[in-house]
Amino acid sequence: MHRTGKAKTILVAQGASVEIASAAADTLRKTHKTRIGVVGVQTLRPFPAAAVADALAGAERVLVLERCDSALSGDPPLTREVRASLGGREKAPSCQSVVCGVGGAPLRIADIVALCTGAGAAAGHPVYLGIAFDDQATTEPKREVMLDALRRAYPQAAGRGIRTQDGPLPIKGAGTAVIAIRHRGGETRLAGVAGALMHRLNGGRVRSRPAVAWLGLDAERHTVTLYPDETTLGIPVDDEALAFEFLLGGLFGALGRLGRIDATARRAGGTRRDMLESGGDEDRDRLIAAFETGFEGLTEAPAEDTGADNDAWRESVPIAVRELGRSDDHVASLPRFWDQTGVLYRDGRADRLTADPYLATGTMPSLSSTFTDLGRTRTSLPVFDPTLCTGCGHCWTRCPDSAIGVAAVGPAALLDAGIRTTGAEPVRQVASKLATRIIASNKKNGDRASTFGPMLEDAFSWLNEKAPLPEERKQAIEEGVGQIVAEFGNLPVAVTEPFFIDAEARQKDSAELLSIAINPEACKTCGICVASCEPGALVSRPLDDASREAAHRTWETWSATPDTPGTSIDRAAEGDVPGPTAALLLSRYCQFALAGGDRSGLGGEACYAAASRSNRISRTTDRPADGGDSRADRQ
């Protein structure tokens, strides 16, 4: 029990909720002069009915905090037991169920304060903490339409939820150390082992808070980024056990430098050795050596940006929504899900989610995993060199996460897309001549441009020299060409044997430029595409701010290009290079039918083999029967 004497309102809770409720009670007494007490229940069966009734005697109001809701079953378990224990008492206090933690939402002190200082929900109805049934702060138009419909249909729902304004979670206390771990690849074991080692070194209690977001920590922040480095520290990065011990040691080395723990590398390493139960002495020696290397091998580096990814690239709509989504109000509609839910995660406002009929189904549309941005966790990215590409198709067929965009499009189609995108209509009158010149100039084996911009500028210069235009027309066309170059100029394009040379040999002006782009939000840098590229057209390069921005710009440019024509897909499927599978994946409808997006570790051959089998089955059946342009024909 916590401060229950003379308390008018008593909170009943279990587990970790007791600590938070106690902190809320202290806050209410200090800031609102309200007498609030807390009763913690350790076991539900057998329920200590007499002890609980005695502890609640004299209270006027009892609020039972529970992390579950028994839909259509009356009161939740703890509330039911508390009511039963008070049933035979005179002047029994009112008892109300308070549901918290729904969907993993953290229990917040501010929400408890609002609950205790407000009128609460009507008797007989539970109140929900951390959930708003009516969000008045939304700025997304399509989400506002949905919320307006809910307000009209359920006017009484707004008072059933309590969620305070945005703000950090107060996780403080004398002698408290807060550790937040963001591990590349979704590793969760590091947090558990770190807590156990911290307990052995410092004693006290360890409390996990898995539902608290990184930005929700109200604590003095010191960001430490750890990477096993084989060249400087001698840690083989492909040895997962050694890499894990290095990271663990580095974490505790950082805590020691910050004064959060009082332990040397020898003491921490010895304690960690006692925790290792399996393996012989030689294995333990190797692991502890890696731990101590990480403990002592820290170097200062600029802190990573741990905030939400609210850069300009996140303002764009994911390509899966644009290419594959069905635009309706169905629960499986990807555009509907993006406009009403996905945009909140994009803008770092996931805490503004409210209950709605779509979320109540507990389902998510297919391909919603493509909303996940893995770019901020990557330190390298494959870079495409069009001058070395042969069009073999090995890279895009073996990518386990559909992170490689590919299209084979003729210069005329690229020009048409550029005109439609930029509104450069004056260019249309010379577009066919420009396209013909681009094809003719690339038939030669001399130096070829690696992007579309220089090809178009060279073709316009040639045209202006061979057939001088009137000054007024020339100026309008030149401005239009400049607009297209600004929009599509950075698009990487390759002149390859199967798509350009062979296609042109079959029919004049049918040559196509092969464009390959890496999606920086989906690529996990597993290296499969780089290893598969025999001519070396894909090379892994370190990422910095400039290269990351360039990769995003290239991906956005590629996303705006036309899809590969169905006739080109059929032609590519006829031969061994690129082959049927690679040809099918030239269609964006097939290419993005399966997607990654999970936060697991780097890919591998097993991952590739499984993905490859799935791709062949599902993408073959999804291919349009008439062989035409897949997306256009299906529409």
Side-chain angles (χ1 to χ4, degrees):
M1 294 187 297
H2 179 73
R3 309 185 76 166
T4 56
K6 298 182 180 180
K8 299 301 181 183
T9 300
I10 294 181
L11 303 172
V12 180
Q14 284 183 298
S17 300
V18 176
E19 298 177 9
I20 303 173
S22 299
D26 294 338
T27 300
L28 282 161
R29 285 176 175 264
K30 181 179 180 180
T31 60
H32 292 77
K33 308 303 179 183
T34 303
R35 294 178 179 177
I36 304 290
V38 179
V39 172
V41 179
Q42 296 181 348
T43 178
L44 191 63
R45 299 286 187 276
F47 189 76
V52 170
D54 292 340
L56 300 179
E60 297 177 357
R61 184 185 182 197
V62 175
L63 302 173
V64 185
L65 301 177
E66 299 202 64
R67 290 189 176 272
C68 65
D69 184 12
S70 301
L72 306 178
S73 301
D75 292 329
L78 184 57
T79 304
R80 186 164 55 247
E81 296 294 342
V82 172
R83 286 189 193 277
S85 67
L86 297 173
R89 301 290 180 113
E90 295 183 3
K91 297 182 180 180
S94 63
C95 183
Q96 186 173 17
S97 174
V98 180
V99 180
C100 59
V102 174
L107 177 59
R108 300 164 52 97
I109 293 176
D111 292 338
I112 298 178
V113 171
L115 169 70
C116 295
T117 55
H125 295 285
V127 61
Y128 295 82
L129 294 188
I131 297 179
F133 292 94
D134 184 18
D135 184 8
Q136 299 288 347
T138 185
T139 58
E140 295 77 22
K142 294 186 178 180
R143 180 169 177 79
E144 180 62 29
V145 171
M146 179 192 70
L147 294 176
D148 284 341
L150 288 176
R151 293 186 192 108
R152 293 192 299 270
Y154 306 98
Q156 75 283 2
R160 298 283 296 275
I162 295 178
R163 184 177 64 193
T164 54
Q165 295 297 320
D166 298 343
L169 292 168
I171 308 175
K172 300 179 180 178
T176 299
V178 180
I179 304 175
I181 296 177
R182 291 206 318 178
H183 191 287
R184 173 174 304 140
E187 170 69 62
T188 58
R189 186 165 61 99
L190 184 62
V193 176
L197 182 54
M198 174 74 79
H199 181 266
R200 292 204 179 198
L201 289 172
N202 279 18
R205 293 186 297 172
V206 177
R207 175 70 67 192
S208 65
R209 300 295 297 276
V212 178
W214 180 272
L215 293 176
L217 297 175
D218 183 16
E220 182 182 3
R221 288 197 189 162
H222 299 275
T223 303
V224 179
T225 304
L226 303 171
Y227 301 105
D229 190 336
E230 185 171 5
T231 58
T232 60
L233 298 176
I235 301 297
V237 295
D238 57 347
D239 190 321
E240 294 184 3
L242 291 181
F244 178 87
E245 295 299 330
F246 170 85
L247 293 174
L248 184 64
L251 172 61
F252 277 82
L255 291 174
R257 293 190 183 188
L258 295 172
R260 300 300 176 89
I261 62 171
D262 183 15
T264 61
R266 182 177 297 274
R267 178 178 172 233
T271 304
R272 176 58 181 153
R273 178 186 290 273
D274 294 338
M275 296 174 61
L276 297 174
E277 299 178 353
S278 60
D281 291 339
E282 184 176 348
D283 289 336
R284 279 197 283 267
D285 289 342
R286 292 175 60 249
L287 295 176
I288 297 306
F291 177 91
E292 293 179 350
T293 299
F295 193 101
E296 297 177 335
L298 289 176
T299 57
E300 296 293 331
E304 285 188 345
D305 179 14
T306 60
D309 297 332
N310 289 328
D311 52 47
W313 305 113
R314 298 303 295 150
E315 296 297 324
S316 61
V317 178
I319 190 170
V321 174
R322 299 196 297 263
E323 297 292 336
L324 306 179
R326 44 185 289 184
S327 298
D328 54 31
D329 291 331
H330 193 272
V331 67
S333 170
L334 194 65
R336 191 276 315 160
F337 182 76
W338 169 255
D339 291 330
Q340 296 178 356
T341 303
V343 291
L344 297 179
Y345 286 90
R346 178 198 66 187
D347 299 336
R349 295 172 57 84
D351 58 332
R352 306 308 305 178
L353 278 174
T354 58
D356 66 64
Y358 298 106
L359 294 179
T361 64
T363 61
M364 296 175 66
S366 301
L367 298 175
S368 56
S369 65
T370 58
F371 300 168
T372 302
D373 183 4
L374 302 175
R376 290 294 181 183
T377 65
R378 304 302 170 219
T379 58
S380 63
L381 198 71
V383 176
F384 177 55
D385 183 354
T387 61
L388 299 177
C389 181
T390 61
C392 66
H394 291 167
C395 60
W396 70 78
T397 57
R398 298 180 182 181
C399 176
D401 294 294
S402 297
I404 300 179
V406 59
V409 184
L414 285 175
L415 280 170
D416 182 65
I419 293 171
R420 285 187 283 104
T421 302
T422 62
E425 286 299 325
V427 180
R428 194 176 298 279
Q429 54 189 311
V430 295
S432 60
K433 294 183 176 63
L434 293 175
T436 300
R437 176 57 187 175
I438 290 175
I439 293 175
S441 61
N442 280 293
K443 285 181 181 180
K444 305 173 183 178
N445 292 326
D447 292 336
R448 293 167 175 158
S450 59
T451 56
F452 183 65
M455 289 184 182
L456 177 57
E457 290 175 332
D458 180 73
F460 178 71
S461 298
W462 173 88
L463 178 64
N464 191 43
E465 181 181 343
K466 294 295 183 181
L469 300 170
E471 188 62 29
E472 185 175 346
R473 285 184 61 196
K474 174 186 173 183
Q475 183 177 357
I477 295 173
E478 189 173 9
E479 290 178 357
V481 168
Q483 293 174 340
I484 296 174
V485 170
E487 189 72 23
F488 288 93
N490 66 319
L491 180 71
V493 288
V495 177
T496 62
E497 193 78 22
F499 296 101
F500 192 95
I501 305 300
D502 293 348
E504 183 66 11
R506 287 191 179 194
Q507 183 179 349
K508 182 176 174 56
D509 291 342
S510 64
E512 293 173 323
L513 299 169
L514 183 67
S515 178
I516 292 178
I518 309 298
N519 183 354
E521 296 179 5
C523 179
K524 295 180 181 177
T525 62
C526 64
I528 293 176
C529 61
V530 174
S532 302
C533 185
E534 295 181 4
L538 285 172
V539 179
S540 183
R541 298 281 172 78
L543 268 181
D544 54 23
D545 289 342
S547 58
R548 181 179 284 109
E549 182 179 354
H552 274 289
R553 188 184 303 111
T554 300
W555 177 252
E556 289 298 312
T557 300
W558 179 88
S559 301
T561 60
D563 201 1
T564 304
T567 54
S568 302
I569 294 174
D570 289 338
R571 184 177 65 245
E574 292 175 358
D576 296 333
V577 179
T581 301
L584 282 176
L585 300 185
L586 288 170
S587 165
R588 294 183 191 182
Y589 183 85
C590 298
Q591 187 176 12
F592 298 117
L594 292 180
D598 63 290
R599 295 185 179 272
S600 62
L602 303 182
E605 291 302 326
C607 178
Y608 155 65
S612 180
R613 286 193 298 270
S614 299
N615 290 352
R616 292 190 184 98
I617 295 172
S618 64
R619 289 169 170 164
T620 300
T621 56
D622 284 342
R623 187 186 179 196
D626 57 5
D629 185 305
S630 56
R631 182 167 178 256
D633 288 353
R634 294 186 74 89
Q635 289 178 338

